[in-house]
Amino acid sequence: MLTESPLSIEEHVHIVSSKSCGAVSSIIGTTRDNYKGEKVLSLFYEAYVPMAEKEIRKIVERAGAQWELHSVSVAHRLGTVEAGEPGVVICASSSHRQDSLNAVSFIIDQIKNKVPIWKKEVRENSQEWKPGVKV
């Protein structure tokens, strides 16, 4: 779930794919190379891993209770993520596309708002911890 290794969308699509499903939806959150006109070099993520993974599991369970999902896979990077690289990958499969589309949207929003993962934006001339979850 949380890893310092690079993320592969193909790996997560494979995890959730099934012949019984008509849809696999995904979102890949990547590090932008700019912020308010300043060049961004990377993001640095850190987390309290046991709590973060517990919260992600709860979010996935809530998504499963709201929509008819076959499978969900979530991975979030820790450490340095260079501009252009994925920082988060979420995939969900379902019989019908609307369920998996709704689920991935819900999961990314919930992760950003509720999971204790903090990020520091490293720019060309400065760095800044971005506002995040208050625990």
Side-chain angles (χ1 to χ4, degrees):
M1 219 181 273
L2 298 176
T3 180
E4 291 191 19
S5 299
L7 302 179
S8 162
I9 184 67
E10 294 84 6
E11 175 185 344
H12 295 279
V13 167
H14 179 74
I15 289 168
V16 302
S17 292
S18 169
K19 291 180 182 179
S20 66
C21 293
V24 173
S25 299
S26 63
I27 185 165
I28 306 166
T30 57
T31 301
R32 284 187 302 269
D33 68 355
N34 65 85
Y35 178 73
K36 292 187 177 180
E38 197 172 346
K39 184 176 182 178
V40 173
L41 304 175
S42 63
L43 295 177
F44 178 81
Y45 291 100
E46 65 179 34
Y48 177 59
V49 174
M51 182 185 275
E53 289 186 339
K54 181 180 177 182
E55 289 301 313
I56 291 171
R57 280 191 291 276
K58 288 195 303 193
I59 291 165
V60 169
E61 287 173 13
R62 285 201 314 268
Q66 278 189 275
W67 297 284
E68 292 186 34
L69 303 174
H70 176 268
S71 187
V72 175
S73 182
V74 176
H76 200 297
R77 286 281 302 272
L78 296 178
T80 300
V81 181
E82 302 293 332
E85 290 184 348
V88 62
V89 171
I90 302 167
C91 293
S93 58
S94 60
S95 293
H96 303 284
R97 71 179 174 274
Q98 202 58 54
D99 287 333
S100 59
L101 286 168
N102 288 337
V104 295
S105 180
F106 170 82
I107 293 168
I108 190 65
D109 288 344
Q110 293 296 299
I111 287 173
K112 290 180 74 69
N113 290 317
K114 297 189 181 298
V115 178
I117 299 173
W118 301 277
K119 72 177 176 182
K120 179 171 54 174
E121 190 173 72
V122 179
R123 298 186 290 262
E124 203 165 43
N125 299 310
S126 63
Q127 45 188 315
E128 172 187 11
W129 284 100
K130 303 303 270 184
V133 176
K134 309 283 190 277
V135 288

